[in-house]
Amino acid sequence: MRMRLLFFLTALAVSITIACGPAHVDTTASDSPKPAASVILLVGDGMGPSVIGLAKDYARVIEDRDLWMEKAISEGSLALVQVPALGTLVTDSAAAATAMATGQRTVNGTISLSADGEPLTTILELAREDSRGTGLVTTTRLTHATPAAFAAHVAHRDSENEIAKQMLASGADVMLGGGLRHWIPQDMTASDFAGYEGKSKRKDEENLVEQARGAGYTFVTNKDELAATAGADKLLGLFSHSHLPYVLDRRPNDGTNTPSLVEMTKAALDILSKNENGFFLLIEGGRIDHAAHANDAASMISDMLEFDEAVGAAMTFAKKRGSTTVYITADHVTSGPFLAARYSDETGGTVYPREPDLRKIAEQDASFEAILTALSTNPTPARLKELVSKHTGIELTDADVAFVLEGEPLSPFHVIHPRYRQFGYPALALGRVLGLQYNFTFAAGEHVGEPVLLIGYGPNAPLAHGYIENTDIFKIMNTASGL
Amino acid sequence: MRMRLLFFLTALAVSITIACGPAHVDTTASDSPKPAASVILLVGDGMGPSVIGLAKDYARVIEDRDLWMEKAISEGSLALVQVPALGTLVTDSAAAATAMATGQRTVNGTISLSADGEPLTTILELAREDSRGTGLVTTTRLTHATPAAFAAHVAHRDSENEIAKQMLASGADVMLGGGLRHWIPQDMTASDFAGYEGKSKRKDEENLVEQARGAGYTFVTNKDELAATAGADKLLGLFSHSHLPYVLDRRPNDGTNTPSLVEMTKAALDILSKNENGFFLLIEGGRIDHAAHANDAASMISDMLEFDEAVGAAMTFAKKRGSTTVYITADHVTSGPFLAARYSDETGGTVYPREPDLRKIAEQDASFEAILTALSTNPTPARLKELVSKHTGIELTDADVAFVLEGEPLSPFHVIHPRYRQFGYPALALGRVLGLQYNFTFAAGEHVGEPVLLIGYGPNAPLAHGYIENTDIFKIMNTASGL
């Protein structure tokens, strides 16, 4: 009976909140003027339900904390989201981000253009037209598919030089991520602008960094510079030549001086919250997907936990400010990653995953990308054993090593797309041999068909309700923004 | 703005419904006396989020209908459910059903006993004590783990002879499923009781069918007999020697005369709704899990669609009667089944699943169990090709056949538990070769770690809220029942 009472009180509170419309949730702020309705959209790229469940266990066992997302679901609301693309039952990130950004379906690979090439208006553009603040934050290259679809319109996601140009032209107030290589002239290098190395990918003389400065942007390239930007009106931060390093590969004093997703989130909110008309902000945990493509459970889960902290920063901001709704979702599910039971003929029983499996995963202190990059200079069995032992504590057998260095893909579903081969050619084989130690398996190396969750937190949380399509997320955000 | 208005009206309606407490949802019934609060729990065994998403696409493309579950989510509410067992992060059906039936955790394999062997009181027992109606309906053997945990207490799920005895002693008003072999004396056969064959599995002379008749049960063994039971007070129906055939293997006039899950659901509701004190009814779609263990996508999806129709029957009943809340959930996720994209070096691009893949799945007209049972009498390559061609329209290559008949498991996660080997020894290999035609893959052959959904529909739907544990489902049902 107590539970029912609690339910009625909660329902009463919810209905009162609802009746008050999109206003304060924080009564302590009731003396100040009511801030305009704002929306923060957090996208965990590739973050399927299994990743959320895994993160919940991992946060409890390894970090002795509850997931912020758990709090968001329990205090907010939950919807199930079908994520097709135009003509296919499984989407890529470009079509999925287009659906969320514009409310329209398009074909895989396309960035906010219709199937016949017409530009589709994005929520970021609508917010700009309404003189609101706008921002894009990601751990991938800023020009990667998810942020791109909010501020650019191109026929293929790989046209990142063009995307950079269009992003700058979009006038978004805050843009933070990686991928300086698409913003600098072809004859310059990253080190001309930042403390890291890398060649330009442009085929022209456009210096988008200079153009950004000319347009009033403060330009930063590392964590320390980012920490000093609260006074900026417009901010462009490019913290890596390509994607930001995985969380596992960032170390204090390692010279990369990369900000965390949480630091980027807070910096963006500092600037955007100054706009009296409200704002729209996208925050992407972009490399959860990359780690899942590479079947690298430890990198996936540590990037996921960082994403959850960014969720926490957004929730804390929203609660304090009021009138800000936080939506948390994923664009699709990648690779089908699972702690998994298996039957063992040796023991005659089923081996079920337990907490020590999470502790083994937590011992891995470098991504497959880092391990296999280190291996690439000297790809011998001894070197692979040495690297894996050093970074995971696991001693590979000769058979393991042969499988990683010479093995065939497990199945055609485990052939890696060239886009992800940079993360290590034999990554999926390494994922399999370590997976046997972790009791962890992946169904594939590409995207799989599964609904994702949409979590709502804040005054317009209940709009996240039902079994919806990803295009509905655009409508929900528009309604919550009062656009 | 229209969406926001719709939202406010919905919220208003919800809060009015809530303020009225657990009463009528159907205003047309308002002249009749208010029925007592009842709960129908529908469990899709192994029905993960990916299976629901697949079913939604399949229902639209193949059956030109919406999923009942979609309506339940959109008109009701949604929670995310973590499903561990005691000491493990992944559960089996026994521990999961114990959690839902009793609100307590136990170790895998155990049926409603605590870790130190104490019986745990089940919601069915509480409902019986309160003079309510109680029922168990499943497509597996009635004595299988999920229904067992609501009406029996044994140290291991495999003790199905003892479970049958305890189930009968539980006095549940309606018990419908398969598994006659555990209810008849050791020296009798199924054909002494029913129109199907099979030996007793008992090691004693107990004739539980006779005992049931003596205790006032009407005993039925086929669809026609079931159709004539509306006047019965107590009903025991055992429609197969072991599990009910998969939906794919049931054909009109095939002699099995097996009722569908929908027919069993309606028969159970006809009887239970006569109890003025309300009722508790469990309905299990039990073989979604078996098909997933066997990596048999077509059998999984057709059993899933039948389960969805049982959901529809429960929803229709609840809407008409009022005061009845329907909860829909799963006990765990099995095998990680997905429509999946894959990169093809041949075409130089990613192959994404499309609607024709669902049409190919829909062409399969027999389960792997049936195909491999037919093969077992003459396990030659030619016979395998012939059977697969006949039942799927797909022509296997010689390499496919060699893999199915002689191949090694894909990985240790793809070794089949002896409990599931009856469904075809080379089933997982067949699943892989057909999966390449269907663009469908499975992560494993056992249970995987992923949260499941809890859907609420009816007056106490909103109790299904937040990120909960499976043990909370017991509490929610108790509250909704007013127990």
Side-chain angles (χ1 to χ4, degrees):
Chain A
M1 286 304 295
R2 253 187 310 175
M3 187 160 176
R4 188 192 283 179
L5 183 64
L6 182 65
F7 162 66
F8 282 123
L9 291 175
T10 307
L12 191 65
V14 167
S15 55
I16 288 168
T17 307
I18 287 164
C20 297
H24 304 280
V25 278
D26 179 15
T27 51
T28 63
S30 56
D31 290 335
S32 39
K34 176 176 138 180
S38 297
V39 163
I40 306 171
L41 174 66
L42 294 115
V43 177
D45 200 306
M47 180 185 72
S50 72
V51 184
I52 294 174
L54 175 67
K56 177 175 155 77
D57 283 335
Y58 191 95
R60 176 177 56 78
V61 174
I62 305 297
E63 301 190 351
D64 194 23
R65 70 171 176 100
D66 292 332
L67 219 54
W68 282 97
M69 263 183 249
E70 186 177 346
K71 180 182 167 76
I73 296 171
S74 294
E75 296 183 7
S77 68
L78 188 66
L80 193 63
V81 189
Q82 200 81 344
V83 288
L86 191 64
T88 61
L89 300 170
V90 173
T91 189
D92 85 328
S93 289
T98 298
M100 292 189 275
T102 74
Q104 304 293 322
R105 291 234 167 290
T106 194
V107 294
N108 284 330
T110 308
I111 300 290
S112 288
L113 292 179
S114 70
D116 45 8
E118 292 301 309
L120 302 167
T121 304
T122 75
I123 186 166
L124 186 141
E125 290 160 355
L126 291 175
R128 280 278 297 164
E129 278 170 28
D130 202 43
S131 303
R132 300 180 181 218
T134 53
L136 300 169
V137 173
T138 182
T139 52
T140 64
R141 296 189 297 269
L142 192 52
T143 47
H144 213 241
T146 306
F150 288 81
H153 307 268
V154 300
H156 200 279
R157 56 185 288 171
D158 290 346
S159 307
E160 293 187 55
N161 293 331
E162 175 61 21
I163 289 169
K165 239 178 122 169
Q166 293 190 19
M167 283 185 128
L168 181 56
S170 80
D173 301 298
V174 179
M175 294 189 282
L176 304 173
L180 179 62
R181 68 193 200 182
H182 299 289
W183 298 72
I184 58 179
Q186 59 182 347
D187 52 353
M188 296 182 79
T189 64
S191 56
D192 295 328
F193 296 83
Y196 48 84
E197 301 291 328
K199 288 182 185 167
S200 171
K201 285 268 180 180
R202 295 202 69 86
K203 308 291 180 208
D204 58 30
E205 300 301 325
E206 299 261 15
N207 186 332
L208 300 183
V209 170
E210 266 322 300
Q211 292 176 28
R213 285 190 176 122
Y217 284 87
T218 299
F219 176 68
V220 296
T221 61
N222 64 46
K223 179 183 184 133
D224 297 331
E225 291 172 6
L226 179 69
T229 56
D233 289 326
K234 291 170 95 70
L235 176 62
L236 175 65
L238 296 168
F239 305 105
S240 183
H241 177 245
S242 179
H243 305 304
L244 268 58
Y246 285 113
V247 169
L248 277 194
D249 297 334
R250 291 182 228 150
R251 288 184 180 70
N253 312 316
D254 68 351
T256 62
N257 204 6
T258 310
S260 70
L261 184 58
V262 184
E263 289 162 337
M264 292 194 287
T265 298
K266 287 180 177 168
L269 289 170
D270 278 346
I271 292 173
L272 295 177
S273 60
K274 288 186 276 190
N275 189 313
E276 292 175 358
N277 301 314
F279 64 85
F280 169 78
L281 172 61
L282 168 78
I283 297 160
E284 186 197 24
R287 304 205 69 197
I288 300 164
D289 169 73
H290 294 172
H293 273 288
N295 288 10
D296 180 355
S299 296
M300 183 185 77
I301 189 71
S302 50
D303 264 51
M304 172 69 190
L305 270 282
E306 181 189 58
F307 176 71
D308 183 68
E309 286 178 32
V311 168
M315 288 167 64
T316 304
F317 172 90
K319 193 165 179 73
K320 187 168 170 199
R321 180 176 183 268
S323 274
T324 304
T325 307
V326 177
Y327 293 107
I328 307 145
T329 193
D331 47 358
H332 53 73
V333 179
T334 305
S335 295
F338 299 108
L339 285 168
R342 59 195 162 101
Y343 180 77
S344 164
D345 272 318
E346 281 172 36
T347 64
T350 307
V351 179
Y352 285 97
R354 296 172 181 262
E355 295 185 0
D357 296 316
L358 297 178
R359 295 199 184 94
K360 277 190 202 164
I361 292 173
E363 294 216 350
Q364 186 182 319
D365 71 358
S367 71
F368 288 5
E369 181 179 276
I371 291 171
L372 294 168
T373 300
L375 178 72
S376 64
T377 57
N378 177 23
T380 62
R383 177 72 173 147
L384 176 60
K385 283 190 183 180
E386 178 196 335
L387 285 165
V388 170
S389 174
K390 177 181 171 192
H391 290 297
T392 71
I394 291 167
E395 307 301 327
L396 296 186
T397 65
D398 291 341
D400 291 337
V401 168
F403 179 70
V404 173
L405 294 179
E406 298 151 33
E408 290 294 307
L410 283 182
S411 83
F413 294 103
H414 292 83
V415 175
I416 311 184
H417 191 290
R419 183 178 296 129
Y420 302 102
R421 285 184 196 166
Q422 59 183 300
F423 308 131
Y425 322 94
L428 271 59
L430 185 57
R432 174 172 159 183
V433 299
L434 294 183
L436 291 175
Q437 304 290 325
Y438 298 159
N439 286 317
F440 205 99
T441 192
F442 290 85
E446 289 284 331
H447 299 182
V448 297
E450 180 166 40
V452 300
L453 303 177
L454 174 68
I455 304 165
Y457 176 85
N460 285 301
L463 292 173
H465 175 82
Y467 194 165
I468 62 176
E469 305 269 317
N470 52 0
T471 46
D472 293 324
I473 294 175
F474 169 81
K475 295 166 203 156
I476 288 168
M477 294 192 299
N478 260 9
T479 305
S481 304
L483 279 168
Chain B
M1 284 305 293
R2 254 188 309 176
M3 185 159 176
R4 187 190 286 180
L5 183 63
L6 181 66
F7 162 66
F8 281 122
L9 291 175
T10 308
L12 191 64
V14 167
S15 54
I16 288 168
T17 306
I18 288 165
C20 297
H24 304 279
V25 279
D26 179 17
T27 52
T28 63
S30 56
D31 290 335
S32 40
K34 175 175 140 181
S38 297
V39 163
I40 306 171
L41 173 66
L42 294 115
V43 177
D45 200 306
M47 181 185 71
S50 72
V51 183
I52 295 174
L54 175 67
K56 177 177 155 78
D57 282 336
Y58 191 95
R60 177 178 56 79
V61 173
I62 305 298
E63 302 190 350
D64 194 24
R65 69 171 177 99
D66 293 331
L67 219 54
W68 282 97
M69 263 183 249
E70 186 176 347
K71 179 181 168 74
I73 296 172
S74 294
E75 297 184 7
S77 68
L78 190 65
L80 193 64
V81 189
Q82 200 82 346
V83 287
L86 190 63
T88 61
L89 300 170
V90 173
T91 189
D92 85 329
S93 290
T98 298
M100 291 189 276
T102 73
Q104 303 293 322
R105 290 233 168 289
T106 194
V107 294
N108 284 332
T110 308
I111 300 289
S112 289
L113 291 179
S114 69
D116 45 8
E118 292 301 311
L120 302 168
T121 304
T122 76
I123 186 167
L124 186 141
E125 290 159 355
L126 291 175
R128 280 277 297 162
E129 277 170 30
D130 203 43
S131 303
R132 301 180 179 218
T134 51
L136 300 170
V137 173
T138 182
T139 53
T140 65
R141 295 189 297 269
L142 192 52
T143 47
H144 213 241
T146 305
F150 287 81
H153 307 268
V154 299
H156 200 278
R157 55 185 290 171
D158 289 344
S159 307
E160 293 188 54
N161 293 331
E162 174 61 20
I163 288 169
K165 242 179 117 168
Q166 293 190 18
M167 283 186 128
L168 181 57
S170 80
D173 302 297
V174 179
M175 295 189 280
L176 303 174
L180 178 63
R181 68 192 200 184
H182 299 288
W183 298 73
I184 59 178
Q186 58 182 349
D187 52 353
M188 296 183 79
T189 65
S191 55
D192 295 328
F193 297 83
Y196 48 83
E197 302 291 329
K199 288 184 187 164
S200 171
K201 285 270 178 178
R202 294 202 70 86
K203 308 291 178 208
D204 57 30
E205 301 301 325
E206 299 260 16
N207 186 332
L208 300 182
V209 170
E210 268 321 300
Q211 291 176 28
R213 285 189 176 124
Y217 284 87
T218 300
F219 176 67
V220 296
T221 62
N222 63 46
K223 179 183 184 131
D224 298 331
E225 291 172 4
L226 179 67
T229 56
D233 289 325
K234 291 170 95 71
L235 176 61
L236 174 65
L238 297 169
F239 305 104
S240 183
H241 177 246
S242 178
H243 306 303
L244 267 58
Y246 285 113
V247 169
L248 277 194
D249 297 334
R250 289 181 230 151
R251 289 183 179 72
N253 312 316
D254 68 351
T256 62
N257 204 8
T258 311
S260 70
L261 185 59
V262 184
E263 289 162 337
M264 291 194 288
T265 298
K266 287 179 177 168
L269 289 170
D270 278 346
I271 292 173
L272 294 177
S273 59
K274 289 185 276 191
N275 189 315
E276 292 175 358
N277 300 314
F279 63 84
F280 168 77
L281 171 61
L282 168 78
I283 297 161
E284 187 198 23
R287 305 205 67 196
I288 300 164
D289 168 74
H290 294 171
H293 273 287
N295 288 9
D296 180 355
S299 296
M300 183 186 76
I301 189 71
S302 50
D303 264 50
M304 172 70 191
L305 270 283
E306 181 189 59
F307 176 72
D308 184 67
E309 286 178 32
V311 169
M315 288 168 64
T316 304
F317 172 89
K319 193 165 179 73
K320 187 168 170 201
R321 180 176 184 268
S323 275
T324 304
T325 307
V326 177
Y327 294 107
I328 307 144
T329 193
D331 48 357
H332 53 73
V333 179
T334 305
S335 295
F338 298 108
L339 285 168
R342 58 196 163 100
Y343 181 77
S344 162
D345 273 317
E346 280 171 36
T347 65
T350 307
V351 179
Y352 286 97
R354 294 172 182 262
E355 294 185 1
D357 296 315
L358 297 178
R359 294 198 184 93
K360 276 191 202 164
I361 292 173
E363 294 218 348
Q364 187 182 319
D365 70 358
S367 70
F368 288 5
E369 181 179 276
I371 292 172
L372 294 169
T373 300
L375 178 72
S376 64
T377 57
N378 177 23
T380 63
R383 177 71 173 147
L384 177 60
K385 282 190 184 180
E386 179 195 335
L387 286 164
V388 170
S389 174
K390 177 180 170 191
H391 291 297
T392 71
I394 291 168
E395 307 302 326
L396 296 187
T397 66
D398 291 341
D400 291 338
V401 168
F403 180 70
V404 173
L405 294 179
E406 299 152 31
E408 291 293 308
L410 283 181
S411 82
F413 293 103
H414 293 82
V415 175
I416 312 183
H417 191 290
R419 184 178 295 129
Y420 301 102
R421 284 181 197 170
Q422 60 183 300
F423 307 131
Y425 323 94
L428 271 58
L430 185 58
R432 175 173 158 182
V433 298
L434 294 183
L436 292 175
Q437 304 291 324
Y438 297 159
N439 286 317
F440 205 99
T441 192
F442 290 85
E446 289 284 332
H447 299 181
V448 297
E450 180 165 40
V452 300
L453 303 178
L454 174 68
I455 304 165
Y457 176 84
N460 284 301
L463 291 172
H465 175 83
Y467 195 166
I468 63 176
E469 305 270 316
N470 52 0
T471 46
D472 293 324
I473 294 174
F474 169 81
K475 295 166 203 156
I476 288 168
M477 294 192 299
N478 261 9
T479 304
S481 305
L483 279 169

